[in-house]
Amino acid sequence: AIKRGLDKSFVFSDNNGVSGYLHLLNSCQMISSALEKSKIFETLKSYLSQELMANHCGIYGSDGARMGESSGDRAMDEILEIAVSATQPFAGMAESGQMFRFVERGQMTPALFVFRFRCVDATDLYCVCLSPTPPPVMEVFENRLRLLLRQVEVTGNNIKQYIGVRNLAFLDDATGLYNTRYMSMILDREITRSKESKRSFAVLFIDADKFKSVNDQHGHLVGTKLLNELGK
């Protein structure tokens, strides 16, 4: 029993590679079950923060704009924003095909780690970690990142397909607006929220007067165009 305990302690210790791959496996499972980009972003930040013992992480678009919600730590958010703005770490990564980059600490800026990935669409996104600790074996770390990147891309494609199917179920073909099926679902949610928050909400019903006469006189194609204009 003591030997099994010691073996288990060695296998799952932080200094052993197995522990790192178990952490990666857990993160990939969380990513694979996500149906929203925000869930992928949060899992990515959590994984890289732990892997690199980083103080803070954020997701950025290729234009340098911050993605997702604020972390709640305003001071750390500002430090990360300043560091990204000063070092411009995304420049050249896409052109050179770099998956990741370590940016050394400057006189006025902390060290950064940048992970380039794509999610639902074809635009590059960047997960930036503040004050990372470089991994002891870079080759092992890079292999893990490749597995993580592949999982993010696969899940991103799944989310894209899910959005398409959801749109077929909840969007009206003629106008592109949400249909009554969506309204039934969203009303249940809003009623629950209203009860919990003790706040009221309103439902606005808009009707087009004499719309049937448009279809009768000008045809359904013209009627559909009118519905599109009303929808806009």
Side-chain angles (χ1 to χ4, degrees):
I2 293 173
K3 184 179 183 303
R4 284 198 300 270
L6 291 173
D7 289 343
K8 184 178 179 181
S9 176
F10 170 75
V11 168
F12 292 101
S13 67
D14 291 336
N15 296 325
N16 192 282
V18 175
S19 176
Y21 276 105
L22 287 174
H23 181 212
L24 174 65
L25 176 62
N26 181 57
S27 297
C28 286
Q29 287 177 335
M30 292 177 66
I31 289 172
S32 67
S33 64
L35 290 176
E36 298 175 348
K37 288 193 297 184
S38 59
K39 300 296 184 183
I40 295 179
F41 293 169
E42 290 305 314
T43 305
L44 264 182
K45 290 190 292 184
S46 175
Y47 173 79
L48 292 174
S49 291
Q50 183 175 336
E51 192 77 3
L52 298 170
M53 293 180 284
N55 294 329
H56 200 63
C57 282
I59 304 292
Y60 291 82
S62 55
D63 58 354
R66 184 76 175 263
M67 308 283 290
E69 297 179 358
S70 173
S71 68
D73 190 334
R74 184 175 177 181
M76 295 300 290
D77 282 341
E78 288 183 355
I79 292 173
L80 185 59
E81 292 285 344
I82 292 170
V84 168
S85 178
T87 59
Q88 298 291 314
F90 313 142
M93 286 189 68
E95 292 181 6
S96 61
Q98 272 187 301
M99 177 176 59
F100 68 92
R101 171 186 291 181
F102 283 94
V103 180
E104 295 184 0
R105 178 179 179 179
Q107 291 183 346
M108 301 296 292
T109 56
L112 298 175
F113 170 79
V114 184
F115 175 60
R116 183 173 67 91
F117 67 99
R118 290 183 176 181
C119 194
V120 175
D121 48 36
T123 59
D124 286 325
L125 299 171
Y126 300 87
C127 184
V128 185
C129 297
L130 193 64
S131 300
T133 300
V137 183
M138 191 61 69
E139 184 179 357
V140 172
F141 175 68
E142 186 171 347
N143 287 337
R144 292 177 188 172
L145 286 186
R146 292 189 187 281
L147 291 171
L148 187 69
L149 180 65
R150 179 59 182 156
Q151 184 62 68
V152 170
E153 290 175 345
V154 168
T155 305
N157 287 331
N158 291 341
I159 292 175
K160 188 175 181 179
Q161 293 177 11
Y162 165 74
I163 292 173
V165 172
R166 186 185 63 184
N167 287 345
L168 286 175
F170 291 136
L171 293 185
D172 176 58
D173 291 336
T175 62
L177 297 177
Y178 288 115
N179 56 24
T180 54
R181 190 180 296 112
Y182 181 82
M183 184 184 72
S184 298
M185 180 190 71
I186 210 72
L187 274 178
D188 288 338
R189 190 185 74 183
E190 292 303 316
I191 289 171
T192 301
R193 285 182 176 179
S194 177
K195 290 178 179 178
E196 291 174 351
S197 63
K198 308 298 183 184
R199 298 179 63 181
S200 60
F201 68 95
V203 177
L204 183 64
F205 183 87
I206 302 174
D207 188 29
D209 291 341
K210 301 180 181 179
F211 178 71
K212 184 177 181 302
S213 63
V214 176
N215 283 330
D216 293 342
Q217 294 180 26
H218 305 285
H220 287 278
L221 288 177
V222 174
T224 299
K225 289 181 179 179
L226 178 58
L227 286 178
N228 270 284
E229 292 299 321
L230 289 171
K232 292 177 183 178

